[in-house]
Amino acid sequence: MLDLAQIRTMDKTQDENRQGEAYLHGDTGMQTHARKFYIESYGCQMNFSDSEIVASILQESGFSSTPSYSEADLVLINTCSIREKAEQTVRNRLHIFRQQKKAKPGMLIGILGCMAERLKEKLIEEEKLVDLVIGPDAYRTLPGLIEEAQSGQKAVNTLLSREETYADISPVRLGGNGVTAFVSIMRGCNNMCSFCVVPFTRGRERSRDANSILKECRDLFENGYREVTLLGQNVDSYNWADENNNELLSFSGLLEKCAQTDPSLRIRFSTSHPKDITDDVLRVMRKYDNICKNIHLPVQSGSTRILQLMNRTYTREWYIAKINRIRELIPECGISSDIISGFCTETDEDHAETLSLMEYAGYDMSYMFFYSERPGTLAARRFRDDVKEDVKKRRLEEIVHLQNKLSKISNRQDIGKQFSVLIEGDSKKSQAYWMGRNSQNKVVVFPKEGQSLKPGEYAIVRIENCTGATLIGTLSIQDLKGN
Ligand code: 5AD
Ligand code: SF4
C-alpha cells in the first residue's frame, strides 16, 4: 500500500459537514512515470474510496500522482451531487482549473462521480469546463477515455452497471494515516428515499465478492493498518453468493469473517439503514471485541408523517424500538445519526418530534443538513419544496444546538472511564499529544510524555476531561493484546 504525504482539508462549511470536505490527493511515493495526475475528492467516504480505485487504475496505465494541480497533465475532481451546495463548490473549482489550462493547454480536466451523469452535456458541451466525464461505474475505461480526449474527441462514459464492484482492484491508499482505511463492500442503493439522488447517480445495489473483501482486510493488516471501515450506502443489505451459490453471505456473516482477520484489527461499518440492521449483526458485534461498538443509524426525521413522505419505510416507533434493542444487546454502543431539517411540508410539530427523538436516542454525534431539493428525485417530482429557507435554517440551528448539548452530555459520562484507544497520529492541536479513537469512535487525545508508543498501537487511556468533540485523558498502560 502506498501512502500519501499531503492531505489538506479545503472547504468545510457548517451545513456541508462530512459531505463538504474535500481532500487533495497528492504524492503516492511513485515519481518515476512521466505523466502526472492530480485528484481532488468531494462528498461521502464512498467517493474517497473510489478515488483510491481511480488512482490504482491510473498508476497501472503509467501515471504518477502529484499534490499540485499546476504540475498535473490530468486534473480530476471526484464530485458529489447530494446537495446543491456541493455541486456549486465543484463548479468553482472547475473554473480555477480552467484558468490553469490556459497556461498549460495540453492539460486535461475530468470529472468523476455523482455529478457526471447529471451534468455531462452541460459541463462538456455548453460550458466547456471539462474534457472528460466518467461516471462511478466506468472507471476502468479511464485510460481509453484519456486517449480519446487527447485526440480532441469528447470523452464521456456515464453508463451505470449492475455488476461492477471493482473487486479485483487494489486501491492506492490516498491521504491516509497508515492506520485506518476504508474498504468498499457494495455499491449503489435500492432504497429510493425520496430526497436522495444516490440511486440515480450510483445505480442499483451490488455486493462485492466476499473473498476480495477479506483479502483486502488481510493485506491492510499485513501492511500495518489496524482499523478498516466497511463501506456501503446500506451495508446491512450486503448479500453475496459465489458463482455456484455455495456460499451465501449476509452482512452479519461478512462482518464476522472480517473480524476473524486478526483480533488486533478493528472493524467498523457504515452506513446502516434502520429497517435493515438485524439482531444477527448486533450479536456478531457483541461477540467480537474488535468490532467497534458504534452504529451510524441515520434517522432523518423524528416524525412518522415526514418519514413516510421520505419513503424511509419505518416509523418513529420502529426507530425507537431499534435504539432500545441496540442498548439492550450492546449497552456501551455509540449511536450517531443523519438528520434533515425542513423536508417538504415539515411543520413546527414535526420538527419538535425530531428534537424529542434526538433527546431519546442521546446521539453521540450527528451529521445535520437542511433539505436541498435534487432534480430527478422522487421528492422533486412529487412534492413542493415548501419550507422557507429561513425556517429550514432556524430548525437546523436548533438541531445543531441540541446535538452539541447531547455530545457534551455523552462525553461527560465518559470522564473517569478507561478506553482502549487506537493511536492514529499526533493530535491536531499539539505534537505533545497522541490522537486516537475509542471503540465508540470518539476522538481521544492524551499526552505522549516520554512513552515509546507509535501510531497503529493501542493504549488504555483514562479519561480526565472533555470538550464537546474530544475526550482528554492520560495513559494507563499500553494495550499489548490489541483490544
Ligand atoms: N438534502 C439534504 N440532505 C440530504 N441528504 C441526502 N440527500 C439530501 C438532500 N436532498 C443527507 C441525508 C443522508 C446524508 C448522506 O445526506 O441525511 O443520510
Ligand atoms: Fe455525494 Fe451521495 Fe454521491 Fe457520495 S454517493 S458522492 S454523498 S451523492
Side-chain angles (χ1 to χ4, degrees):
M1 297 293 157
L2 298 165
D3 277 325
L4 191 83
Q6 187 182 359
I7 176 166
R8 191 142 51 95
T9 303
M10 289 188 52
D11 164 6
K12 191 167 181 182
T13 52
Q14 209 208 347
D15 80 299
E16 288 286 286
N17 235 326
R18 170 183 49 175
Q19 266 71 25
E21 287 176 27
Y23 292 95
L24 305 185
H25 290 155
D27 186 1
T28 56
M30 293 183 86
Q31 297 298 333
T32 48
H33 306 297
R35 291 187 298 171
K36 290 192 169 150
F37 75 94
Y38 165 90
I39 186 164
E40 204 169 285
S41 306
Y42 293 82
C44 62
Q45 279 309 335
M46 208 69 200
N47 252 12
F48 288 79
S49 179
D50 277 5
S51 291
E52 299 186 333
I53 288 167
V54 169
S56 175
I57 292 169
L58 288 173
Q59 241 173 39
E60 282 290 306
S61 65
F63 278 87
S64 67
S65 64
T66 169
S68 150
Y69 69 82
S70 58
E71 276 181 14
D73 306 289
L74 173 65
V75 172
L76 296 172
I77 310 194
N78 201 347
T79 62
C80 175
S81 288
I82 199 118
R83 282 172 293 279
E84 202 179 343
K85 185 146 188 192
E87 286 193 359
Q88 194 47 51
T89 312
V90 167
R91 277 177 176 283
N92 296 344
R93 290 300 284 165
L94 285 175
H95 282 286
I96 292 170
F97 296 147
R98 207 67 208 167
Q99 281 303 111
Q100 178 67 26
K101 193 175 158 105
K102 285 192 185 142
K104 194 175 174 184
M107 181 178 124
L108 293 178
I109 303 174
I111 63 159
L112 315 172
C114 292
M115 274 170 76
E117 169 58 30
R118 232 177 68 65
L119 295 171
K120 58 181 180 227
E121 271 92 24
K122 230 171 167 291
L123 292 175
I124 213 163
E125 281 171 26
E126 284 175 37
E127 300 179 37
K128 304 211 180 324
L129 274 175
V130 298
D131 308 294
L132 292 136
V133 179
I134 308 110
D137 288 344
Y139 297 144
R140 286 182 204 268
T141 64
L142 192 50
L145 290 170
I146 293 168
E147 278 181 29
E148 280 176 31
Q150 269 165 342
S151 66
Q153 299 170 57
K154 262 190 284 169
V156 181
N157 187 350
T158 57
L159 286 178
L160 290 173
S161 155
R162 279 175 180 261
E163 283 96 39
E164 182 63 272
T165 59
Y166 302 108
D168 55 314
I169 295 182
S170 188
V172 169
R173 300 289 159 191
L174 294 167
N177 53 17
V179 177
T180 61
F182 292 92
V183 173
S184 161
I185 65 163
M186 58 199 298
R187 299 181 71 80
C189 183
N190 285 354
N191 277 336
M192 299 304 278
C193 300
S194 64
F195 52 79
C196 189
V197 80
V198 170
F200 306 96
T201 60
R202 288 190 162 265
R204 307 289 290 172
E205 191 175 278
R206 295 116 286 164
S207 296
R208 177 178 167 190
D209 181 329
N211 297 310
S212 75
I213 297 171
L214 294 169
K215 181 176 179 311
E216 198 173 321
C217 291
R218 261 195 314 276
D219 288 349
L220 283 164
F221 181 72
E222 276 158 21
N223 282 285
Y225 285 81
R226 289 295 174 265
E227 184 180 296
V228 299
T229 302
L230 307 177
L231 271 188
Q233 304 296 345
N234 182 14
V235 289
D236 299 285
S237 56
Y238 179 86
N239 190 12
W240 179 80
D242 69 10
E243 314 82 76
N244 311 317
N245 257 358
N246 282 337
E247 194 169 8
L248 288 165
L249 212 56
S250 65
F251 181 59
S252 60
L254 178 75
L255 190 59
E256 178 149 30
K257 282 183 188 273
C258 291
Q260 288 164 350
T261 307
D262 191 283
S264 63
L265 180 72
R266 275 182 171 179
I267 311 292
R268 298 188 186 279
F269 55 89
S270 185
T271 295
S272 296
H273 194 295
K275 78 170 163 47
D276 293 322
I277 188 163
T278 59
D279 274 7
D280 284 349
V281 170
L282 301 180
R283 285 198 199 96
V284 171
M285 285 180 78
R286 192 171 59 172
K287 183 169 162 198
Y288 290 87
D289 279 347
N290 61 328
I291 302 181
C292 290
K293 305 300 180 274
N294 180 55
I295 299 178
H296 186 59
L297 197 71
V299 68
Q300 312 297 359
S301 167
S303 149
T304 296
R305 190 183 69 82
I306 295 293
L307 288 169
Q308 267 164 1
L309 294 179
M310 287 177 163
N311 200 25
R312 290 290 287 177
T313 69
Y314 55 84
T315 59
R316 175 185 173 89
E317 290 69 31
W318 166 281
Y319 187 89
I320 287 176
K322 272 290 162 204
I323 296 279
N324 292 345
R325 189 70 179 142
I326 294 169
R327 301 256 182 252
E328 189 184 328
L329 289 182
I330 317 171
E332 76 278 26
C333 196
I335 305 179
S336 55
S337 193
D338 290 350
I339 301 166
I340 299 177
S341 77
F343 187 67
C344 314
T345 77
E346 188 188 70
T347 61
D348 279 337
E349 288 70 39
D350 296 315
H351 170 61
E353 288 204 86
T354 297
L355 296 175
S356 71
L357 185 55
M358 289 174 69
E359 293 257 16
Y360 184 85
Y363 295 125
D364 299 293
M365 196 271 292
S366 293
Y367 295 105
M368 298 155 285
F369 317 97
F370 61 81
Y371 174 59
S372 155
E373 185 178 88
R374 307 311 293 132
T377 54
L378 290 183
R381 283 183 273 150
R382 285 189 194 156
F383 314 127
R384 228 161 33 88
D385 180 12
D386 57 356
V387 179
K388 296 220 165 43
E389 188 152 324
D390 59 330
V391 176
K392 285 182 185 174
K393 287 190 173 160
R394 178 183 48 77
R395 289 181 189 160
L396 179 63
E397 266 171 36
E398 287 173 20
I399 289 169
V400 170
H401 184 74
L402 175 57
Q403 184 54 59
N404 288 343
K405 186 183 107 182
L406 295 176
S407 300
K408 263 187 215 137
I409 293 173
S410 161
N411 281 357
R412 271 197 218 113
Q413 283 167 353
D414 288 338
I415 294 177
K417 292 187 190 161
Q418 301 206 114
F419 293 106
S420 177
V421 173
L422 174 61
I423 302 172
E424 293 181 18
D426 289 343
S427 141
K428 256 192 256 160
K429 288 200 181 134
S430 162
Q431 290 195 346
Y433 282 72
W434 287 123
M435 173 270 174
R437 281 169 203 272
N438 67 4
S439 175
Q440 287 74 14
N441 209 24
K442 288 188 182 172
V443 171
V444 180
V445 298
F446 62 99
K448 294 181 179 173
E449 280 173 8
Q451 314 137 13
S452 58
L453 288 165
K454 297 194 290 296
E457 290 181 341
Y458 290 90
I460 304 284
V461 178
R462 191 190 141 83
I463 306 307
E464 315 282 355
N465 208 340
C466 69
T467 66
T470 310
L471 300 178
I472 304 158
T474 50
L475 178 79
S476 290
I477 41 164
Q478 184 170 357
D479 185 0
L480 291 172
K481 177 166 61 66
N483 264 278

